[in-house]
Amino acid sequence: MEIDPFIFRLSIFILSIFIGYYVVWSVTPSLHTPLMSVTNAISSVIIVGAIIAGLAGNSNNIFNTSSIFGFLAISLAAINIFGGFLVTQRMLAMYKKKKKGK
Amino acid sequence: MISSNLSAVFYLISGILFILALRGLSSPETSRQGNFFGILGMAIAVTVTFLSIGNFSTGFVFVLIFILIGGLIGAFIAYKIPMTAMPELVAGFHSLVGLAAVFVAISAFLNPEAFNLGSPGNIKLGSLIEMSIGAAVGAITFSGSIIAFLKLQGIMSGSPITFKGQHLLNALILITIIVITFLLCSTQSSNLFWVLLAISFLIGFLLIIPIGGADMPVVISMLNSYSGWAAAGIGFTLENTALIITGALVGSSGAILSYIMCKGMNRSFFNVILGGFGATEQSASVLNREQKPVKSGNADDAAFLMKNASSVIIVPGYGMAVAQAQHALREMVDTLKKNDIKVSYAIHPVAGRMPGHMNVLLAEANVPYDEVFELEEINNDFANADVAFVIGANDVTNPVAKTDPQSPIYGMPVLDVEKCKSVLFVKRSLSPGYAGIDNDLFYKENTLMLFADAKKMTEDITKNL
């Protein structure tokens, strides 16, 4: 009997939870705020769904109800992607070690 | 146009890059590279999506325009936001992820053909279940984050809002959500889909309003987790590996942070989520408070104590963020260091309004991260230190947590500040902390209270040093 592709996706999902579990425990507590902002940015990869939704309209009718929701989602996700990565970068640039010989 | 197999491989690569992005955060040195991996992963995912659709017509131009609009807004916020407002920003960003998930789910529900999920009114059952879960969790994330944002921003009072039958109502709504999801899947009715969204928004509001301001570290982490599960739900709908991997990563990340925060308060997750902490004890403790003698001093006294110390430990808390005192504090510490006084910082896991909040503020003020220590690392050092300088922290230093089993915070890990030879406690008044309990530390022999705004007091001390 053939295995439903859903089971494969479920396997990826469960294994990723385990990866997430071990990777996040190794994050140093002083970087927990950047962790939150970067997880925020990467969860906005939901933009791929938004792009598919936005481009689903045909050329005569770019803006139908479904694609309008897609376009809105694109903007929301883009705010998060740019905002999330840039603010993380700004924060991480501030973490400095003690200067030697001070 | 590239084949769906090839694009699946690229989505996997971008998923792996996201794992490396989180992995990089294990130390500040590798973190910047990690962030770069994250950006690269995102760029690959977006590019591959364009290539796999392969439709570079007018619609494509609009997609770019909307990305540009969102990107400009995001970049503007990222550069303008003050570091003290980071908790609000993260809460705001969570709400956007939630809303984006809802919009994608709506779009997929209205036009399932575009996603190969069947036709309207005849959507594949599995996809419909995944879509409903993604939409419901996304809606809860959205409205919950909005409340968290309003509370953090101070637009809404940080005190818990409770009413009779609250838990019963929430339980009923959650059951309704499950029933409606079930009905939606059997009837494919679009009305039910809208009802599902509406009550999910409602439950998001109701779940967060009873949770008080100081429990926000747990709430933000929990909403972080939800935003991940919402993304994963949509990932299953779209059969997209990058989204599934990311959703799982973010979901577990937020869950772990919630766990760490709950442990930092010695409370169970459910105890925090059910809310209303401190509301009952507050009145009792206010009544019972006797007039106990308190030693208070001024900046001159504090400067004298510190000048004669050989080691000082700074304990920052949310009050430091409110007073924006981190830069003034760093200047004070610089002066101390010039006098050959050893200075370190002690951070309690729940200090501030989100995980790692204090660390970011100290980093902003150019405090080197190897002078900043977590509770377990530094707690034994208090006994050997001369001065503890508590600035804007309260409950996390309360010795009652170790001595009084009756206290609501009994068992919570606290910083052993009272073991220092002397304690300087910067606070605006003697009022109890968030938990509504009196801090025994105020009345100790070796405590000197400095009643003033944290920033002003720190500046005055620096002048007197």
Side-chain angles (χ1 to χ4, degrees), chain B residues 95-148:
Chain B
S95 73
L96 297 183
V97 179
L99 195 58
V102 171
F103 284 172
V104 174
I106 293 176
S107 190
F109 184 79
L110 294 176
N111 188 3
E113 285 111 330
F115 298 88
N116 288 323
L117 305 175
S119 55
N122 189 23
I123 301 171
K124 281 187 265 174
L125 180 64
S127 309
L128 193 56
I129 297 172
E130 293 153 2
M131 186 187 300
S132 315
I133 295 173
V137 180
I140 294 172
T141 312
F142 170 69
S143 54
S145 300
I146 293 284
I147 298 294

Side-chain angles (χ1 to χ4, degrees), chain B residues 26-84:
Chain B
S26 56
S27 91
E29 288 102 70
T30 52
S31 61
R32 285 172 276 263
Q33 190 192 25
N35 198 41
F36 171 73
F37 283 139
I39 296 171
L40 188 65
M42 188 62 71
I44 291 177
V46 171
T47 314
V48 168
T49 310
F50 282 138
L51 292 177
S52 64
I53 298 172
N55 166 12
F56 293 99
S57 61
T58 345
F60 179 70
V61 179
F62 279 103
V63 171
L64 287 184
I65 291 173
F66 279 95
I67 290 182
L68 198 66
I69 295 172
L72 285 174
I73 298 173
F76 180 76
I77 297 172
Y79 281 112
K80 285 284 165 203
I81 192 92
M83 284 297 143
T84 39

Side-chain angles (χ1 to χ4, degrees), chain B residues 70-375:
Chain B
L72 285 174
I73 298 173
F76 180 76
I77 297 172
Y79 281 112
K80 285 284 165 203
I81 192 92
M83 284 297 143
T84 39
M86 210 46 71
E88 292 95 301
L89 179 76
V90 168
F93 277 169
H94 286 157
S95 73
L96 297 183
V97 179
L99 195 58
V102 171
F103 284 172
V104 174
I106 293 176
S107 190
F109 184 79
L110 294 176
N111 188 3
E113 285 111 330
F115 298 88
N116 288 323
L117 305 175
S119 55
N122 189 23
I123 301 171
K124 281 187 265 174
L125 180 64
S127 309
L128 193 56
I129 297 172
E130 293 153 2
M131 186 187 300
S132 315
I133 295 173
V137 180
I140 294 172
T141 312
F142 170 69
S143 54
S145 300
I146 293 284
I147 298 294
F149 175 81
L150 294 176
K151 285 194 171 199
L152 287 164
Q153 186 82 333
I155 298 171
M156 207 173 135
S157 153
S159 54
I161 299 170
T162 47
F163 52 87
K164 233 183 147 198
Q166 194 164 24
H167 299 326
L168 187 70
L169 177 70
N170 289 351
L172 281 176
I173 295 180
L174 286 174
I175 294 169
T176 317
I177 289 181
I178 296 167
V179 172
I180 290 185
T181 311
F182 187 77
L183 289 176
L184 172 65
C185 293
S186 51
T187 62
Q188 305 249 353
S189 145
S190 61
N191 288 335
L192 282 174
F193 185 74
W194 300 117
V195 173
L196 176 70
L197 281 179
I199 58 171
S200 301
F201 280 127
L202 181 67
I203 190 72
F205 285 116
L206 290 172
L207 282 175
I208 307 301
I209 55 166
I211 305 179
D215 287 338
M216 280 304 149
V218 180
V219 172
I220 295 196
S221 317
M222 182 185 83
L223 291 166
N224 186 242
S225 182
Y226 286 1
S227 70
W229 303 133
I234 302 296
F236 275 101
T237 317
L238 306 182
E239 310 184 346
N240 183 305
T241 336
L243 207 41
I244 294 176
I245 295 177
T246 317
L249 289 177
V250 178
S252 51
S253 161
I256 290 172
L257 289 176
S258 318
Y259 170 79
I260 296 175
M261 293 302 114
C262 287
K263 228 179 112 216
M265 297 194 286
N266 188 38
R267 296 170 63 195
S268 74
F269 183 68
F270 286 101
N271 182 295
V272 176
I273 295 315
L274 295 178
F277 186 57
T280 44
E281 287 89 357
Q282 199 140 19
S283 48
S285 80
V286 169
L287 284 176
N288 293 336
R289 201 186 314 154
E290 320 135 40
Q291 285 295 325
K292 283 183 267 186
V294 169
K295 275 198 286 183
S296 78
N298 57 29
D300 202 15
D301 306 329
F304 178 78
L305 266 173
M306 284 204 261
K307 232 189 292 183
N308 291 307
S310 61
S311 69
V312 173
I313 300 179
I314 315 257
V315 181
Y318 181 57
M320 180 188 79
V322 176
Q324 305 255 9
Q326 65 272 28
H327 298 281
L329 181 69
R330 217 273 334 291
E331 278 160 30
M332 187 188 88
V333 170
D334 283 349
T335 321
L336 289 174
K337 280 193 202 154
K338 269 183 212 142
N339 293 320
D340 281 330
I341 299 166
K342 186 177 167 274
V343 185
S344 34
Y345 298 80
I347 314 266
H348 191 277
V350 292
R353 285 291 185 265
M354 73 182 293
H357 191 188
M358 292 298 120
N359 304 79
V360 169
L361 293 183
L362 292 177
E364 188 202 10
N366 282 319
V367 172
Y369 61 80
D370 37 12
E371 287 176 14
V372 182
F373 298 94
E374 303 301 315
L375 178 114

Side-chain angles (χ1 to χ4, degrees), chain B residues 5-38:
Chain B
N5 283 334
L6 189 59
S7 57
V9 171
F10 278 111
Y11 284 133
L12 179 65
I13 292 173
S14 84
I16 292 168
L17 286 167
F18 291 150
I19 295 173
L20 293 176
L22 299 192
R23 176 70 203 158
L25 291 169
S26 56
S27 91
E29 288 102 70
T30 52
S31 61
R32 285 172 276 263
Q33 190 192 25
N35 198 41
F36 171 73
F37 283 139

